[in-house]
Amino acid sequence: MTGLLAGWAPGDALVLALVIPVIGAFVVLALGRWENARDGASLITAGCLFYVVTQLYPIVAAGGRPDIVLFDMVPGLSIRLTLEPLGMIFAGIASFLWIVTTLYAIGYMRGHHEENQTRFFFFFAIAIASAIGVALAGNMLTLFVFYEVLSVSTFPLVAHHGTEEAKRSGRIYLGILLSTSIGFLLFGMIWTWQIAGTLDFVRGGVFNAEQAQGPMIAVLLALYAFGIGKAALMPFHRWLPAAMVAPTPVSALLHAVAVVKAGVFSVLKVVVYIFGIDLLKLAPGTDFLLYVAAFTIIAASIVAMRQDNLKLRLAYSTVSQLSYIVLGAMLASDIAALGSAMHIVMHAFGKITLFFCAGAIIVFAHKTDISDMKGLGHRMPVTFFCFFLASLSLIGLPPMGGMWSKWYIALGAAETHQLIFIAVLMVSSLLNLAYLMPVVLYGFFGKAPIQSEEDADNDHDDHEHHHAPPNHLLLRHMTFGREGISDASFMCLLPIVLTATGCVLLFFYADRIRIFLLPVFGG
Amino acid sequence: MQGLVDIFKPLYDLWLSFEAFMVGPASPGLLGYWIVIALMMTGFYIVIAHDNLVKKIVGLNVFQVSVFLFYILMAKVTGGTAPILAEGITQYSNPLPHVLILTAIVVGVATTALGLALVVRIRNAYDTIEDDEILAVEEEEDR
Amino acid sequence: MTIFYTYFLSLPFAAAIEPHLPILQVVVPLLCAPICVLLRDAKLSWLWATIVTWITFFIALVLLGKVLASGLIIYELGSWPAPWGIEYRIDAANALVLVIVTAIAAITLPYAKVSVEKEVARPRIYLFYLMYMLCMTGLLGITTTADAFNLFVFLEISSLSSYVLISLGGNRRALTASYRYLIMGTLGATFYIIGVGMMYMMTGSLNMADLATLLPAVDHTRTVLAAFAFVVIGLGLKLAMFPLHTWLPNAYAFAPSAVTVFLASTATKVAIYALLRLVFTVFGGTDLFASTDISLMLIIVALIGMFAGAFVAIFQTDVKRMLAYSSVSQVGYMVLGIGMATAAGLTGGIVHLFNHAVMKGAAFMAVGAMFYVIGSVRLNDLAGIGKRMPVTTAVFLVAGLSLIGTPLTVGFISKWQLVQASLALGWWYVAAGILLSSLLAIVYVWRVVEVAYLKAPPEGAARRSEAPLSMLVPMIVLAAATVWFGIDGDTTLRIAGEAANALMGPASGGKP
């Protein structure tokens, strides 16, 4: 290792990456009384984590696979960390977006006068630690362990408000995630172990050709696909919209990046390293999962169109977009799987921007429903412009990163002669257009209703407290010195602009990702 | 008088055949085991069927006594005497089950004493020793 | 584990004592218990019980170390050779159970001090510790003995003392719970000696190893078949196997908190050990287990118990009773392991024996501490307890997660092993049953978690009122063990595997 970590073994650096957020969490807990120190600690931790992850990048890019066995959990199965390109990508975006989200969360939580902020930042850090754990997992058991820790540690974030609605949503959230993972995923894992005798991630899969025949593989694949509830394949998607009662930064990071991406990342890992893409080509009966994914893509998009609440619309959009990744993974084609891996990145940047914007609108304009946002674009031009850019990325239009991932998935569908899925992708792009563009159109071209001040006060939900944003330089409305403009605060806008720029940059640097991932996806 | 005897003759025959069935031709000792089982079932039935807590304990005692009998019966060796060394005697009954059952009797006494002590305490606390009435009170509390 | 053995050998008096450790394990608490009557004082008798229990714990650790180092230990009481005299045998299986029982007993005592002072009338406290030690004696005796009738005697020692312990609970319903347990327990024990008597009739022996060699010759007789049935049902009553569990929920719910912790973690475990010993050692040479479909019966009963117990637990408003029903469900997992009758299944059952003792101990300790502070463990009274007693509630949360079987807790290790064992047999529906029943655990655990963390504390409640340190430390130790052995499941699984081999292996009956 180089830089500050000179002298460290790469394997130890993996442990370090895991431990930093945990330490950070406890520092946050200890500093709970001093707001600024606490939030500073959050930021510093996020920065340290990102630094460590970036230091690992050149090793992986050069073909290194840092690896460390921590301890044996059951005889023959250890808790083990291994970093390979897929995990590197996931760890990279999770740690980078953590910095950005921390910035945003500080602005949001203070602007919104949320309670229990210390608890919030504590579990936030624990959740990131477990997401990093998922990314670094060296075998299925390790992945499962961190997957479960992630589910449990995000429960307090989802149920943050403690209201009846939050409790009900928390119940749905944890109920679905724990039941699918214990009921299906664990079952599939132990079964795999029984058959193959290993749960290590092996390129090309752990099953031999003989085991690959027969209906068992299809059943196992289904157990994994539905067992990884975080991938939100229908009918196990209900937890995601339910989780939207959480404060927006949670929705942004956890339900655009850490949690849902942990889900699809796990699906991708399982497909690539447990089953193997080549084996998937041969295995009979796995096609129906493609149709489940395709159905989820279309159905969730249609549901999204019917939502007036912006966060809910984005949630259903996430359900739909996640199934792109599942679809790409299940197509049993290297190119499609590559597209899936890229879509993890593209969607993360796009969706987190959208959520940031939605949060900014809640805090600084007190609007949650799309129909109320007419003309708001004139008041918050930066926010709405960034929303527009991110929407383009999700729809898959150039010059945005989202184009490439869709392109590769479609290419994979063509390669395997499953043209129907190209059609699905096309239709869903149109649907994306139909549910994302109205927000922008309303914002910029809608006519703001003439409202009295009282109405403005009344049209937000009961738990959305209406306080004047604090009069701090970083936390108050940005006006850019012009009449009629009162955009979100600097602390909120900076992350939005950063991630929106990311969407654009990814269009130009997508090939870097492709080359980086080549060792995983063959030629 | 003879008439009376004649009337009951078939019943007596029935008894004889029943006895023959129970005792069996070769092993005259089985009757004892039938008694054990009868006692055991009687005791068991009392424990289950009676609501009075003291009667339950009585039933439990009957049940346990049947087991004591069971052990003592199995120790009996046909033609054997008490296991005391004496001139001219070679056949003894097995003394071990007797010893075992002494222990079991002690345990039984302890159980009975504890059970009755509990009944006294229950009576003080509930003013009744009828199980159904106690259950009614407890169900009321649960609500 | 062998560290304790080597440390013990370095002690000056080791050479004289070492051969007699198996009997000391049982006799030390037995002889020390009556001294409480002489002490009379609550504090002194607590101190005495604590010292004695920790010594027995040390002895158990030494014994486990010795067994792991050098294999089976045989001790002949009064130097009478085996079939005539009573013999104690210690192999990996019962050494592990000895450690479980004494460890829980030792950890519970520091916890018990304030809890008992609050829940038991002061003049009776010395009797409490007397009974506590006697109960432990009985459990240790059941575990060490290799004589079928001797086992009955210890069974009754532990049972009688536990009836007394339960009846000491503050609520009057403790009396009826104790009474019902007395009736059921006595029936169970009597069933057991009926079975033993029948075995004696056919073989003329009471020594387990001897029985194991003699029984196969007569295993076709109806008497032996009946003996088998009586033994299984009798012990099934003691271990609260569904549907013979009816005594358990009230007994655990109304006993003093410390007693609940101790009994829930040890009494049913020892009964399960006894069943294992009888079924696999004594009847191990016969093919009764296979030919009578008893394994099928056990599995069906276990599965029903797993679901029924968890299902009923969901609807309880008293958290202590909820945990008691959860015990019925968890006992199902252990019985399931026995029913599989393979080394892997047995390993799962035995490892759950240990794991459940640890996690249920922690859970009951947490609930007991809540009772100590707020005087009630009804769900409605626990609102906001997470703010008022953060440490205690965190311990409950850890134990609860373990009951569900989330990874990094011991519950996961048990479930992993059991699911794997059932899949190895091709019984995927049993594996599915295990996992589905843990979903029910999510519901009952989360009901408490929600009330504890997301409901506001009642008006006027003290903001922070944590339990005293003497209660906190033991429960933190158990919670830490829950996590530690959940991460390092390797160690426990290995010991459990050796125990399973000791029970099932060719040397079953532990023939020298």
Side-chain angles (χ1 to χ4, degrees), chain C residues 32 34-42 44-49 126:
Chain C
C32 293
I35 294 179
C36 285
V37 180
L38 302 177
L39 294 172
R40 284 270 167 171
D41 179 72
L44 278 179
S45 47
W46 169 78
L47 189 67
W48 178 241
Y126 75 96

Side-chain angles (χ1 to χ4, degrees), chain A residues 3-247:
Chain A
L4 291 175
L5 294 174
W8 281 67
D12 294 338
L14 296 186
V15 181
L16 188 67
L18 202 56
V19 169
I20 286 176
V22 177
I23 295 175
F26 284 98
V27 172
V28 164
L29 206 57
L31 295 176
R33 222 170 293 162
W34 302 279
E35 258 194 357
N36 290 331
R38 177 195 67 202
D39 294 348
S42 272
L43 262 180
I44 292 169
T45 316
C48 292
L49 175 65
F50 184 62
Y51 178 76
V52 174
V53 173
T54 48
Q55 289 301 303
L56 284 162
Y57 172 80
I59 299 177
V60 179
R65 297 286 179 268
D67 177 66
I68 184 168
V69 176
L70 296 181
F71 48 83
D72 278 0
M73 190 151 171
V74 294
L77 261 182
S78 48
I79 292 295
R80 173 179 182 184
L81 302 179
T82 311
L83 188 58
E84 42 73 60
L86 271 181
M88 183 70 229
I89 292 226
F90 182 39
I93 52 170
S95 56
F96 173 68
L97 292 179
W98 189 28
I99 305 180
V100 181
T101 313
T102 308
L103 274 175
Y104 179 81
I106 296 169
Y108 179 93
M109 299 301 271
R110 293 192 181 184
H112 211 209
H113 302 275
E114 292 276 356
E115 288 173 2
N116 296 323
Q117 292 192 20
T118 306
R119 182 179 78 188
F120 175 87
F121 284 108
F122 173 77
F123 281 109
F124 210 98
I126 296 287
I128 290 295
S130 19
I132 294 290
V134 170
L136 302 184
N139 59 25
M140 200 55 212
L141 179 71
T142 316
L143 195 149
F144 180 76
V145 167
F146 287 111
Y147 180 96
E148 292 293 63
V149 177
L150 185 58
S151 304
V152 176
S153 64
T154 45
F155 171 79
L157 298 174
V158 172
H160 184 78
H161 292 299
T163 57
E164 270 310 311
E165 192 198 0
K167 261 189 262 182
R168 197 169 43 246
S169 303
R171 238 173 269 160
I172 296 174
Y173 179 79
L174 202 73
I176 292 184
L177 289 186
L178 279 187
S179 355
T180 49
S181 62
I182 292 180
F184 301 140
L185 181 56
L186 183 59
F187 189 86
M189 254 169 68
I190 301 181
W191 198 0
T192 309
W193 200 49
Q194 202 65 50
I195 297 168
T198 174
L199 282 179
D200 282 344
F201 291 129
V202 180
R203 228 193 123 199
V206 295
F207 300 106
N208 59 36
E210 189 191 338
Q211 291 159 342
Q213 305 302 320
M216 173 210 81
I217 288 290
V219 177
L220 262 182
L221 191 64
L223 281 176
Y224 279 110
F226 291 116
I228 301 173
K230 292 193 172 95
L233 216 50
M234 281 184 178
F236 298 110
H237 65 288
R238 277 286 304 136
W239 62 270
L240 217 169
M244 289 305 137
V245 300

Side-chain angles (χ1 to χ4, degrees), chain B residues 33 40 44 47-48 52-54 56-57 60 63-64 67-68 70-71 74 94 96-97 99-101 103-104 107 110-111 114-115 118-119 121-122 125-126 131 134-135 137-139 141-143, chain C residues 124 149 152-153 156 159-161 163-164 167-169 171-180 182-183 186-187 190-198 200-201 204 206 230 250 254 317 321 378:
Chain B
Y33 292 105
M40 193 184 281
F44 202 32
V47 173
I48 294 169
N52 185 306
L53 297 185
V54 174
K56 269 182 193 284
I57 301 242
L60 202 62
F63 183 64
Q64 286 180 311
V67 180
F68 304 160
F70 170 63
Y71 268 74
M74 82 168 85
N94 185 350
L96 183 68
V99 179
L100 296 180
I101 235 52
T103 320
V107 169
T111 313
L114 179 59
L118 280 172
V119 173
R121 294 280 311 276
I122 289 173
Y126 286 83
D131 206 18
I134 294 172
L135 275 177
V137 174
E138 292 187 345
E139 258 169 44
E141 270 180 20
D142 267 345
R143 223 165 278 141
Chain C
R124 293 205 202 107
F149 196 85
F152 162 75
V153 176
E156 283 294 20
S159 300
L160 284 168
S161 44
Y163 307 147
V164 177
S167 72
L168 288 173
N171 194 313
R172 64 175 176 177
R173 294 182 65 175
L175 297 171
T176 48
S178 167
Y179 178 87
R180 291 195 184 113
L182 180 134
I183 298 288
T186 309
L187 285 180
T190 312
F191 266 57
Y192 173 76
I193 42 165
I194 295 173
V196 171
M198 288 173 166
Y200 181 71
M201 268 172 93
L206 290 169
F230 270 114
N250 275 346
F254 296 108
T317 48
R321 200 184 311 179
R378 289 192 160 258

Side-chain angles (χ1 to χ4, degrees), chain C residues 467-481:
Chain C
L469 206 61
S470 66
M471 294 177 102
L472 283 182
V473 173
M475 77 173 105
I476 290 172
V477 168
L478 281 185

Side-chain angles (χ1 to χ4, degrees), chain C residues 337-393:
Chain C
I338 301 175
M340 287 181 201
T342 60
L346 221 51
T347 307
I350 293 172
V351 88
H352 196 52
L353 209 82
F354 174 80
N355 291 345
H356 183 244
V358 173
M359 61 178 153
K360 218 17 121 25
F364 271 124
M365 275 190 182
V367 172
M370 292 173 190
F371 186 81
Y372 177 80
V373 172
I374 63 174
S376 159
V377 284
R378 289 192 160 258
L379 208 51
N380 291 334
D381 300 330
L382 295 183
I385 197 83
K387 285 227 171 65
R388 296 169 66 188
M389 305 176 67
V391 181
T392 309
T393 318

